[in-house]
Amino acid sequence: MPIKIADTLPARRILEAEGVTVMGEADAVRQDIRPLRIGLLNLMPNKISTETQLARLLGATPLQIELTLVRITDHVARNTPADHMAAFYRPWCQVEADRFDGFVITGAPVERLPFEDVRYWSEFRTILDWTQTHVHRTMTICWAAQAALYHFHGVPKHELPRKAFGVFPHRSLVPASPYLRGFSDSFDVPVSRWTEVCPDALQDATDLRVLAANEETGPCVVDDPQRRTLHMFNHLEYETETLAEEYRRDGGNQLPTNYFPADDPSHPPQNRWRSHAHLLFANWIDSIYQTAPFDPAAIGARADHRSR
């Protein structure tokens, strides 16, 4: 089934060229089904690239998805054209009365700052609390995952002496988890961050469960069932060239581990994580489909919370 996005969104042309089925609003209304409403709070600098990456994964699932792009209310994007933001993004203050089956929150280039020093920290915390009453299931990525664990559980982050950067093999620790259905025992994941959450801190929060991890870079996927949230510290959504672009952007100062063939940046990298990215998002969407109320107005109701 297709993903419904605006006809003029740049991601549409890219996804159609890749064979992803994309639906316009006129076609969507003719289908007698309720699409899953997914919100994307995009905090990344290159919003067009990030929205394309995530729309690709959401649109590959077998259900009709209606994607809403959301931004922080008063934050001005510096790396994305203003007309793009005005045309395709809604400030959170305009969607706070809406209800979503799923909500994705991306990372942000502020991970080395204390959480409280992030300019939009107050609204971000409000949004996290809002997901508990207006969203059925949430997925947080990279900085957003660390921030959510800090907000909800008091789990601190720690700055690394060297950036965790490259493609690392991760072990599936809970193969029976519905989120890891179909995963290999070991799978590669792109990692790009300056901070980490220590496993010991996660163990102290007894209602959290680490689903996948790497011995060098730590936890990767954490299930937070009481908050109906899946936390992903790394970047399965990345495209093949994303780490190469970051490497060049940073002046070639740190070679990404296990990424370029023979560690030679002149050789094009190969994508070894794409299939697991699709699996994770398909499993997450399926968990929403299996448990979300048919009536969107019931999302967040007390009875719905107790039953999940």
Side-chain angles (χ1 to χ4, degrees), residues 169-172 183-188 276:
H170 287 70
R171 290 182 298 116
S172 173
F183 270 60
S184 304
D185 294 340
S186 177
F187 55 97
D188 289 334
H276 285 91

Side-chain angles (χ1 to χ4, degrees), residues 218-264:
C220 175
V221 185
V222 174
D223 186 14
D224 188 353
Q226 295 302 314
R227 302 288 178 178
R228 306 180 316 285
T229 301
L230 188 68
H231 306 289
M232 160 59 79
F233 293 121
N234 302 319
H235 292 283
L236 273 174
E237 81 280 4
Y238 270 8
E239 295 173 337
T240 305
E241 292 288 336
T242 304
L243 290 180
E245 293 168 0
E246 292 185 8
Y247 169 72
R248 291 190 290 269
R249 178 199 67 195
D250 296 339
N253 295 325
Q254 181 178 340
L255 191 71
T257 300
N258 196 30
Y259 176 61
F260 293 113
D263 286 336
D264 185 347

Side-chain angles (χ1 to χ4, degrees), residues 38 58 101-104 137-139 178-179 228 230 279-289:
I38 305 295
L58 294 168
D101 299 290
F103 202 76
V104 180
R137 292 199 189 279
T138 303
M139 179 188 292
Y179 296 118
R228 306 180 316 285
L230 188 68
L279 265 179
L280 181 70
F281 276 80
N283 289 341
W284 182 68
I285 289 292
D286 183 64
S287 74
I288 294 172
Y289 175 72

Side-chain angles (χ1 to χ4, degrees), residues 115-127:
F115 291 119
E116 293 82 3
D117 289 351
V118 174
R119 193 180 68 81
Y120 48 79
W121 179 242
S122 179
E123 180 167 315
F124 186 80
R125 293 182 64 197
T126 301
I127 293 172

Side-chain angles (χ1 to χ4, degrees), residues 17-82:
E18 294 176 358
V20 176
T21 304
V22 183
M23 174 177 283
E25 291 186 3
D27 294 326
V29 297
R30 287 198 293 266
Q31 293 198 342
D32 189 21
I33 59 174
R34 180 176 88 76
L36 292 180
R37 296 198 66 209
I38 305 295
L40 169 60
L41 177 62
N42 190 353
L43 304 175
M44 293 292 281
N46 189 336
K47 299 194 185 302
I48 295 175
S49 176
T50 300
E51 69 203 25
T52 302
Q53 293 170 4
L54 291 167
R56 175 184 294 116
L57 296 170
L58 294 168
T61 57
L63 299 167
Q64 187 185 131
I65 304 296
E66 180 181 312
L67 184 63
T68 299
L69 300 177
V70 183
R71 64 173 175 84
I72 293 291
T73 299
D74 295 323
H75 184 68
V76 177
R78 298 179 180 177
N79 298 285
T80 303

